[in-house]
Amino acid sequence: MPTLASPLPTRRADLMARLNKRTVYDLAIVGGGATGLGLALDAASRGYSVVLLESDDFAKGTSSRSTKLVHGGVRYLAQGNIALVREALHERSTLLHNAPHIAQALPFVMPSYAWWEKPFYGVGLKLYDALAGRSGLGRTEFLSRRETLASLPSVQPEGLRGGVMYWDGQFNDAKLALALARSAALQGALLINRMRVERLRYTDGQVSGVHGVDTLTGQSHEIEARCVVNATGVWVDALREQDGSTQAMVAPSQGVHMVVDKAFLPGDAALMVPKTADGRVLFAVPWLGQVILGTTDTPRDDLAPEPLAFESEIDFILQESARYLTRPPQRSDVKSIWVGLRPLVKPAQDEGDNTKALSREHTVLVSRSGLVTVTGGKWTTYRAMAEDVLQKCVASALLAPRGGARTEHLPLVGAGGGEVGGAGGPVSVPVSIGAPEGVHSYGSEQVWLAQLPGADTWLTPSLSEAMVRFAARYEYALSVEDVLARRSRLLFLDARLAAQIAPAVAAILQSETGLDPDVSGFLKLAAQYMLEDGSAPL
Ligand SMILES: Cc1cc2nc3c(=O)[nH]c(=O)nc-3n(C[C@H](O)[C@H](O)[C@H](O)COP(=O)(O)OP(=O)(O)OC[C@H]3O[C@@H](n4cnc5c(N)ncnc54)[C@H](O)[C@@H]3O)c2cc1C
């Protein structure tokens, strides 16, 4: 039996045994990304009985493919959306407080090459500080040319006049998803990955549960619930269509990121270009020992689980990066390329051609049959979204009232301090998230990691045998991809290295789970994350 302070095991057989005990849940959540997982934690912490079903793996969709910013959204400020920015700034500070091992403050520098840029952007960022108020992470500062070069040693010096430094947050998105899942489980929620919801169940015309299929065994499961929430991100319209809706809610927009060596952006600060030659935003962000370059915003109407980048997107990121960095990254420098689909909410009648103008805010809809759908928003605001969904569920009489949210001051698993399951005592997180991947993201759970077999056996400088065992025992990992894409982030950081160590990871995983860890599937996927010189995908 685990003590309250030790991690909760996630053995599949035990999870399935729980699912097979037929109960009527208060809430069945479909989709295990930021939105669904945040909702599961909020609802379970209020005392609702919760089941969450994810068709693939937690954060397999958009939630592992973000730019990794916990932000108020400087560019939404430029659009005048003050309420959205204020809410996100509040959530930014809540998240950094509740998950200090996964999210930290990061300085961003906007270099200026035209005389007007520094005062223009500086004033906007001072307003950003003012909106953050006590939630501010650091003061915006005007930098001289010399100070800008000190913060961004590899920024293009020719014509550089100075810059503006402001603060936002940065996080490990998939790791946060896992922390939400595990925190929800500690509050009593049942969360199951590899369980696809194929159909909704109805009683007297009202949604009364879901029909799920275990994608590992093909076995069917009938799950009853008073309230069903469709939190399937860009895929929400599939369930809505089954429910009789004829109008699409989401206009997907694709965003590409490429990862290059840290040498392209030495130092601790991120580079932010607010307006590229064609009016877009470009980031170069240090993350887990490498640098992320991105992103794009391209309308897309197919909804592949692993979308591929367009050539024009690759060219855009490389060409724009070359304008701002002294050493221009080449295709052969790209260690990993990954693509995510934004679930932007479509206004009625919109054809979805101009995704940059679509709403970044979330929307909650309750259908005539009682299906609740939530989509849009951003990672940063997952907690506020969960509160809105539950308020709507109670207002629609789908759930009995149970008091307000309890997540604002609820540390997540690994944060130490007050969370159920933490090893106790606040953790000090000595390294920034820009530092190489490693044990720091385990926070207070490092003590449990250190006790597992293989704690000193390293497969790469940042992935130990014990981490693979931890992923299998406590983090719901079932395949090599689960471990290398989302428990460790190696696939997103260095796809070739991830492919090289896949067989070793598979052997450890199989010894833990007894399941086929699917090495060949992973190798095929890893090839898509590699950008060969001259042979780009799509
Ligand atoms: C390029 C890009 C950059 C971004 N950068 C940032 C950023 O820096 N900061 C920020 O705050 N936000 C950012 N975002 C936004 C943020 O990532 C998303 O808003 C958020 O991840 C959406 O989460 P979700 O849970 O709604 O969707 P998803 O993460 O896609 O989750 C939906 C889940 O539902 C599952 N599913 C689908 N159908 C079924 C079914 N039938 N049965 C069971 N499960 C199902 C899917 O497998 C998936 O896991 C970015 C988005 C993109 C695309």
Side-chain angles (χ1 to χ4, degrees):
M1 271 293 282
T3 67
L4 265 185
S6 66
L8 207 57
T10 56
R11 226 169 64 100
R12 183 142 185 108
D14 298 338
L15 300 177
M16 297 314 290
R18 253 181 89 187
L19 187 70
N20 289 333
K21 281 192 198 138
R22 293 287 292 267
T23 17
V24 181
Y25 291 92
D26 289 326
L27 199 61
I29 301 167
V30 191
T35 308
L37 294 168
L39 178 61
L41 176 59
D42 191 323
S45 67
R46 292 187 204 203
Y48 293 115
S49 59
V50 176
V51 63
L52 180 147
L53 309 168
E54 161 56 49
S55 60
D56 193 290
D57 183 27
F58 304 119
K60 162 76 182 184
T62 306
S63 297
S64 55
R65 301 154 193 270
S66 76
T67 312
K68 328 295 181 205
L69 307 183
V70 190
H71 62 155
V74 173
R75 65 176 158 147
Y76 312 134
L77 194 63
Q79 293 162 7
N81 201 336
I82 302 282
L84 178 65
V85 176
R86 200 196 292 274
E87 176 182 71
L89 286 170
H90 176 73
E91 290 304 320
R92 179 185 76 174
S93 125
T94 304
L95 177 57
L96 264 63
H97 192 76
N98 288 336
H101 53 313
I102 298 174
Q104 284 113 40
L106 182 75
F108 288 72
V109 175
M110 282 184 193
S112 58
Y113 293 89
W115 66 267
W116 56 269
E117 285 177 324
K118 203 159 112 175
F120 179 77
Y121 293 117
V123 167
L125 287 164
K126 289 280 183 195
L127 174 61
Y128 195 59
D129 285 359
L131 285 174
R134 295 225 313 261
S135 306
L137 302 176
R139 268 213 335 244
T140 292
E141 283 173 50
F142 292 96
L143 304 183
S144 66
R145 176 187 152 87
R146 193 175 49 78
E147 288 166 331
T148 305
L149 285 168
S151 301
L152 296 176
S154 63
V155 77
Q156 184 54 252
E158 213 181 298
L160 181 72
R161 288 167 174 262
V164 185
M165 180 190 273
Y166 71 98
W167 290 79
D168 247 326
Q170 183 186 44
F171 74 130
N172 181 341
D173 49 10
K175 207 72 184 172
L176 181 63
L178 265 305
L180 288 173
R182 299 178 59 221
S183 300
L186 282 167
Q187 300 283 337
L190 174 62
L191 301 101
I192 305 197
N193 49 1
R194 302 302 192 300
M195 181 68 67
R196 186 173 51 244
V197 168
E198 298 222 315
R199 284 197 308 278
L200 297 166
R201 287 167 51 105
Y202 292 87
T203 306
D204 300 331
Q206 293 297 294
V207 176
S208 58
V210 298
H211 172 90
V213 174
D214 183 332
T215 63
L216 297 178
T217 63
Q219 215 183 345
S220 294
H221 296 266
E222 297 299 325
I223 296 137
E224 292 179 80
R226 293 177 184 88
C227 177
V228 174
V229 178
N230 173 11
T232 53
V234 285
W235 295 278
V236 284
D237 287 319
L239 277 187
R240 278 167 41 78
E241 214 171 279
Q242 279 189 28
D243 190 51
S245 168
T246 50
Q247 220 193 357
M249 192 172 166
V250 165
S253 144
Q254 166 164 303
V256 175
H257 294 95
M258 295 194 268
V259 170
V260 294
D261 195 89
K262 183 78 177 78
F264 285 92
L265 189 78
D268 294 329
L271 164 71
M272 199 266 198
V273 177
K275 215 167 192 173
T276 57
D278 60 352
R280 299 190 245 182
V281 180
L282 181 82
F283 284 103
V285 187
W287 187 64
L288 299 176
Q290 313 279 8
V291 172
I292 301 176
L293 305 174
T295 179
T296 54
D297 204 341
T298 314
R300 180 120 213 191
D301 46 24
D302 55 333
L303 294 173
E306 287 290 347
L308 298 179
F310 292 109
E311 278 295 337
S312 56
E313 294 178 295
I314 297 168
D315 290 345
F316 163 76
I317 294 174
L318 291 177
Q319 281 163 14
E320 286 299 324
S321 302
R323 291 182 61 207
Y324 292 93
L325 299 175
T326 42
R327 185 176 148 205
Q330 310 293 324
R331 302 175 79 99
S332 54
D333 294 314
V334 175
K335 294 177 162 217
S336 182
I337 174 167
W338 28 277
V339 184
L341 299 174
R342 288 181 194 84
L344 301 181
V345 178
K346 198 170 174 171
Q349 311 306 328
D350 189 285
E351 291 309 313
D353 285 343
N354 182 4
T355 58
K356 272 169 272 180
L358 292 179
S359 172
R360 252 72 188 173
E361 282 174 282
H362 63 271
T363 299
V364 186
L365 291 181
V366 183
S367 77
R368 225 169 270 142
S369 69
L371 175 69
V372 181
T373 298
V374 52
T375 194
K378 52 185 175 164
W379 236 124
T380 308
T381 50
Y382 76 87
R383 212 192 55 82
M385 288 167 72
E387 285 189 14
D388 281 2
V389 172
L390 285 179
Q391 201 179 34
K392 268 258 166 67
C393 295
V394 170
S396 311
L398 294 164
L399 289 176
R402 280 270 170 95
R406 297 187 45 214
T407 48
E408 185 159 3
H409 303 291
L410 185 70
L412 300 185
V413 159
E419 96 278 15
V420 188
V427 225
S428 64
V429 183
V431 276
S432 87
I433 205 142
E437 250 197 312
V439 294
H440 70 273
S441 70
Y442 291 79
S444 59
E445 295 193 309
Q446 287 173 34
V447 291
W448 304 112
L449 185 67
Q451 289 172 24
L452 292 180
D456 295 321
T457 309
W458 293 90
L459 308 176
T460 72
S462 58
L463 182 66
S464 68
E465 178 188 327
M467 289 174 178
V468 181
R469 295 192 187 281
F470 191 94
R473 290 185 195 185
Y474 308 121
E475 294 182 307
Y476 300 87
L478 297 167
S479 71
V480 173
E481 183 195 329
D482 294 352
V483 174
L484 289 176
R486 292 171 292 274
R487 277 61 177 181
S488 149
R489 305 310 306 275
L490 195 59
L491 177 65
F492 286 72
L493 292 165
D494 189 337
R496 272 182 199 82
L497 184 57
Q500 274 166 27
I501 65 158
V505 170
I508 303 163
L509 200 54
Q510 194 154 26
S511 74
E512 287 284 336
T513 64
L515 296 169
D516 171 11
D518 192 15
V519 186
S520 60
F522 179 75
L523 293 178
K524 257 192 229 142
L525 179 67
Q528 285 187 27
Y529 282 60
M530 297 172 197
L531 182 59
E532 298 292 350
D533 199 0
S535 63
L538 212 106

